[in-house]
């Protein structure tokens, strides 16, 4: 902590003058320092404690009610070790139930923390598990069915760092909060009085909840001072519904070293890095030239997400190199990636993601009424026709005065309007059973619906065979728990090594949280 504070304060003078010119003009105020979550390790009894609580946080000079783990907003980063059991005591001090899901961890369904793992208001839950997977950056967040989007929007999220012997030998940057830096990126919508303005209604059920304010580790456009050399960024897209496209403002390359489930075989050099909701990537950036720059998100072609200020490159954080020299390196090779097994004779499961046409149409109409044509910026004309012109809409049946109850062959319930294989999520009925330890080929289709669906599977790290009909990009060929599905078909090779009985079924779902909360999720068991 002392070293980190020294480095942070040693650049208090002269930083503003080093900011890129466009940053200074848009954001004249002094930059806050990037908040660094505490790194929490188990005590002598191998225990950790997480307290889910309410608090207050200040954004743009206004104080808002927020939720966090062990604090007001977000939570600590938990450091776990491969092969070492840990017990986590979770205390819920909220006035409502919640769950705590270990996103990306390959652990039994009983401790996975899906929607069945309810922790009542004022109650507690203790889970014990042993991570047996390779080193990775994972995360934890609520999975309360129907309320996941709201609880994450209020601030509940934190990182999980799994360490193993192999990664320690690589001499990567490892000084937490100095040259090994967590970057949790989220957008928020605030009401006029500064409160987090979360709404689950027709429009957000269709396109997701998004905002006009970008937060990095809970701060607006913060600055991080780091030693010159290689800087390691652990990127998490923690947004409810917004995909990101990360780049450096001066065009310097990012070297991707790890995806959701751990190290790639070798670094992959990219100039921009698309990041789906729930995805993590670790990147190394060379800052040895001593020049300040911004990490930015570039405009994306996703419905609603090109609304200002995201119609232009938008700053995530400012990076200010110090005179001190860093010691971490970028290795030429990182790990050995197992070759893909033969796909012959594998069980094939087909999952069709779908949205009720009425929800699709009405959600988009509401989006355009609120934001105008800009909401469709970046969308291709074919995508527009897919939403507007499929011939299924009977405008005479739309009861515009009561958005929650359309006359659609009875009352229209948007809470169950998103489906997989024609079924909205039913916690009591897992959709299928998987043979434990056996590879399966899952074919996930978003055909007939042009929405972005980042599809997440619990209890595994898989390999992408094809992504939206194409060969996966090099940095997406490693271990993943989330795959892009957007109007096409993606195939993944999955295997589950742990138990997930009916009462503790694993989940597979769209990680656009409002789609998940309104039915685009299924449960499955392993046996």
């Amino acid at each position: 902590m002392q070293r980190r504070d020294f480095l942070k304060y040693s650049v208090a003078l002269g930083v503003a003058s080093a900011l890129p010119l466009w940053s200074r003009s848009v954001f004249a105020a002094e930059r806050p320092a990037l908040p660094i979550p505490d790194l929490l390790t188990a005590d002598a009894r191998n225990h950790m404690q997480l307290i889910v609580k309410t608090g207050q946080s200040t954004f743009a000079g206004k104080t808002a009610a927020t939720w966090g783990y062990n604090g007001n907003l977000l939570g600590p980063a938990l450091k776990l070790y491969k092969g070492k059991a840990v017990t986590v005591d979770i205390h819920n001090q909220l006035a409502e139930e919640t769950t705590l899901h270990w996103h990306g961890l390959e652990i039994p369904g009983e401790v996975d923390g899906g929607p069945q793992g309810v922790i009542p208001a004022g109650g507690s839950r203790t889970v014990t598990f042993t991570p047996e997977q390779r080193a990775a950056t994972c995360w934890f967040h609520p999975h309360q069915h129907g309320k996941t989007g709201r609880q994450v929007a209020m601030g509940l999220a934190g990182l999980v760092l799994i360490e193993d012997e192999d990664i320690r030998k690589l001499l990567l940057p490892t000084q937490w909060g100095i040259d090994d830096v967590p970057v949790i990126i989220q957008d928020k919508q605030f009401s006029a009085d500064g409160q987090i303005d979360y709404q689950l209604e027709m429009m957000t059920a269709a396109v997701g909840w998004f905002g006009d304010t970008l937060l990095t580790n809970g701060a607006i456009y913060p600055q991080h001072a780091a030693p010159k050399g290689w800087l390691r960024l652990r990127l998490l897209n923690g947004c409810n519904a917004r995909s990101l496209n990360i780049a450096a403002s001066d065009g310097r390359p990012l070297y991707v070293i790890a995806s959701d489930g751990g190290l790639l075989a070798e670094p992959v050099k990219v100039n921009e890095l698309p990041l789906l909701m729930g995805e993590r990537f670790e990147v190394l950036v060379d800052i040895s030239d001593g020049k300040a720059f911004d990490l930015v998100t570039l405009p994306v072609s996703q419905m609603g997400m090109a609304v200002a200020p995201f119609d232009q490159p938008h700053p995530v954080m400012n990076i200010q190199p110090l005179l001190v020299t860093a010691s971490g390196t970028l290795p030429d090779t990182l790990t050995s990636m197992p070759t893909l097994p033969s796909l012959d004779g594998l069980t094939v499961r087909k999952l069709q993601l779908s949205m009720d046409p009425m929800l699709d149409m009405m959600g988009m109409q509401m989006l355009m009424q609120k934001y105008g044509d800009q909401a469709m910026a970046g969308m291709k004309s074919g995508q527009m026709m897919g939403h507007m012109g499929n011939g299924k809409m009977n405008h005479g049946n739309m009861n515009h005065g009561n958005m929650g109850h359309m006359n659609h062959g009875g009352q229209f319930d948007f809470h169950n309007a998103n489906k997989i294989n024609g079924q909205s999520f039913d916690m009591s009925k897992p959709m299928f059973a998987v043979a434990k330890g056996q590879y399966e080929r899952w074919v996930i289709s978003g055909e007939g619906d042009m929405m972005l669906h980042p599809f997440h599977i619990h209890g595994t790290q898989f390999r992408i065979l094809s992504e939206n009909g194409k060969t996966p990009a090099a940095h997406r060929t490693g271990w993943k728990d989330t795959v892009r599905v957007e109007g096409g078909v993606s195939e993944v090779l999955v295997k589950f090594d742990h138990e997930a009985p009916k009462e503790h079924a694993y989940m597979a779902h769209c990680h656009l949280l409002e789609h998940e909360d309104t039915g685009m999720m299924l449960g499955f068991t392993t046996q």
Side-chain angles (χ1 to χ4, degrees):
M1 287 296 292
Q2 290 175 334
R3 176 172 165 78
R4 190 168 85 208
D5 288 343
F6 169 76
L7 291 169
K8 183 164 53 177
Y9 296 125
S10 66
V11 289
L13 298 175
V15 165
S17 63
L19 290 176
L21 189 62
W22 66 274
S23 302
R24 290 209 304 275
S25 63
V26 177
F27 297 89
E30 184 182 349
R31 302 272 53 80
L34 176 73
I36 302 295
D38 290 338
L39 192 58
L40 191 61
T41 55
D43 63 18
R45 300 180 305 125
N46 293 325
H47 274 245
M48 292 181 176
Q49 179 172 267
L50 288 174
I51 301 172
V52 194
K53 57 196 295 189
T54 61
Q56 290 187 326
S57 303
T58 301
F59 308 105
K62 292 184 177 180
T63 300
T66 54
W67 296 355
Y69 299 102
N70 296 3
N72 292 329
L73 181 70
L74 299 175
L78 309 187
K79 193 168 189 176
L80 309 180
Y81 296 91
K82 180 181 178 180
K84 187 173 182 180
V86 64
T87 297
V88 186
D89 300 312
I90 309 159
H91 305 277
N92 179 18
Q93 294 183 357
L94 302 178
E96 63 183 66
E97 10 177 86
T98 189
T99 83
L100 193 150
H101 166 52
W102 304 100
H103 183 130
L105 269 64
E106 300 176 66
I107 53 178
E110 186 177 4
V111 291
D112 176 69
Q116 320 91 327
V118 170
I119 311 167
S124 299
R125 184 174 193 227
T126 297
V127 294
T128 299
F129 55 84
T130 304
E132 297 290 359
Q133 66 206 85
R134 65 210 73 76
T137 301
C138 300
W139 65 304
F140 60 97
H141 61 78
H143 216 300
Q144 179 72 25
H145 184 51
K147 294 186 177 179
T148 297
R150 177 171 170 267
Q151 293 192 355
V152 172
M154 289 301 294
L156 294 181
L159 292 180
V160 179
L161 279 51
I162 303 173
E163 288 257 306
D164 65 13
E165 291 298 325
D166 293 338
I167 203 166
R168 292 181 196 173
K169 298 172 184 174
L170 289 177
L171 303 180
L172 295 167
T174 57
Q175 299 177 87
W176 182 249
I178 298 174
D179 61 5
D180 181 1
V181 180
V183 182
I184 302 171
I185 308 168
Q186 297 176 305
D187 61 334
K188 295 270 187 279
Q189 183 73 43
F190 294 98
S191 59
D193 61 355
Q195 298 301 308
I196 295 172
D197 185 17
Y198 185 79
Q199 303 289 337
L200 180 58
E201 30 77 4
M202 196 70 136
M203 187 186 84
T204 57
V207 302
W209 180 75
F210 61 91
D212 57 7
T213 303
L214 199 69
L215 303 178
T216 305
N217 295 357
I220 299 173
Y221 186 30
Q223 167 206 315
H224 181 68
K228 284 198 301 183
W230 288 106
L231 175 64
R232 180 184 187 179
L233 302 175
R234 298 177 188 254
L235 302 170
L236 162 65
N237 181 343
C239 299
N240 283 39
R242 180 182 297 282
S243 62
L244 303 166
N245 190 11
I246 301 299
S249 60
D250 59 2
R252 72 181 66 205
L254 310 176
Y255 293 87
V256 186
I257 62 166
S259 53
D260 297 335
L263 291 169
L264 303 178
E266 58 190 32
V268 177
K269 179 181 176 181
V270 300
N271 289 316
E272 50 188 72
L273 179 62
L275 203 61
L276 298 172
M277 301 77 90
E279 280 189 320
R280 290 88 58 214
F281 284 103
E282 294 184 40
V283 301
L284 262 58
V285 190
D286 184 2
I287 62 170
S288 57
D289 62 2
K291 295 178 180 176
F293 64 98
D294 282 348
L295 202 66
V296 301
T297 181
L298 304 175
V300 297
S301 295
Q302 182 193 351
M303 192 169 296
M305 303 307 161
V307 171
F310 294 97
D311 54 342
Q312 302 291 328
H314 191 78
V316 172
M317 60 186 285
N318 176 258
I319 294 170
Q320 172 71 40
L322 295 165
L323 295 177
V324 184
T325 303
S327 58
T329 62
L330 176 67
D332 291 331
T333 60
L334 297 163
T335 191
S336 57
M337 190 64 62
T339 55
L340 293 172
S342 169
L343 303 180
D344 294 341
L346 296 185
T347 297
V348 176
R349 294 193 192 277
K350 296 186 177 179
L351 306 181
Q352 177 68 49
L353 313 183
S354 64
M355 301 174 64
D356 188 291
M358 180 69 78
L359 173 67
D360 204 6
M361 171 64 83
M362 291 305 301
M364 193 170 65
Q365 286 186 347
M366 292 174 71
L367 182 72
M368 293 187 72
Q369 286 169 7
K370 187 169 183 178
Y371 295 105
D373 291 344
Q374 191 184 26
M376 299 297 141
M379 302 296 291
K380 301 179 183 69
S381 59
Q383 289 176 299
M384 290 289 293
M385 292 306 294
H387 284 278
M388 301 296 288
N390 61 11
K392 295 180 182 177
M393 304 303 150
N394 181 347
H395 292 272
N397 282 344
M398 293 187 186
N399 175 359
H400 290 266
N402 187 351
M403 290 296 185
H405 299 283
M406 301 280 172
N407 182 353
H408 189 222
Q411 292 206 321
F412 181 63
D413 175 15
F414 70 79
H415 291 281
N416 294 287
N418 289 312
K419 298 177 170 65
I420 301 178
N421 291 350
Q423 298 178 44
S424 185
F425 176 62
D426 184 341
M427 202 182 317
S428 65
K429 294 180 181 177
M431 195 171 281
F432 50 80
V434 174
K436 197 170 75 167
Q438 300 292 313
Y439 282 107
E440 292 193 354
R441 187 173 182 166
W442 287 21
V443 180
I444 308 152
S445 172
E447 291 178 315
D449 153 21
M450 297 309 298
M451 282 288 182
L452 171 63
H453 300 300
F455 198 77
H456 170 55
I457 304 172
H458 291 209
T460 187
Q461 289 291 340
F462 53 69
R463 304 283 293 279
I464 299 175
L465 301 174
S466 68
E467 192 160 39
N468 227 42
K470 298 177 181 176
T471 302
H475 62 278
R476 302 182 67 80
T477 58
W479 298 106
K480 294 280 296 148
D481 57 48
T482 303
V483 63
R484 185 185 198 96
V485 180
E486 189 175 18
V489 177
S490 298
E491 298 191 21
V492 298
L493 184 70
V494 299
K495 180 165 69 78
F496 304 90
D497 292 328
H498 295 279
E499 296 278 341
K502 180 181 178 182
E503 59 272 25
H504 302 293
Y506 285 139
M507 298 292 123
H509 59 88
C510 178
H511 216 282
L512 194 157
L513 298 183
E514 286 68 41
H515 287 178
E516 168 190 335
D517 277 339
T518 54
M520 196 175 287
M521 179 160 64
L522 61 84
F524 65 97
T525 61
T526 65
Q527 58 188 28

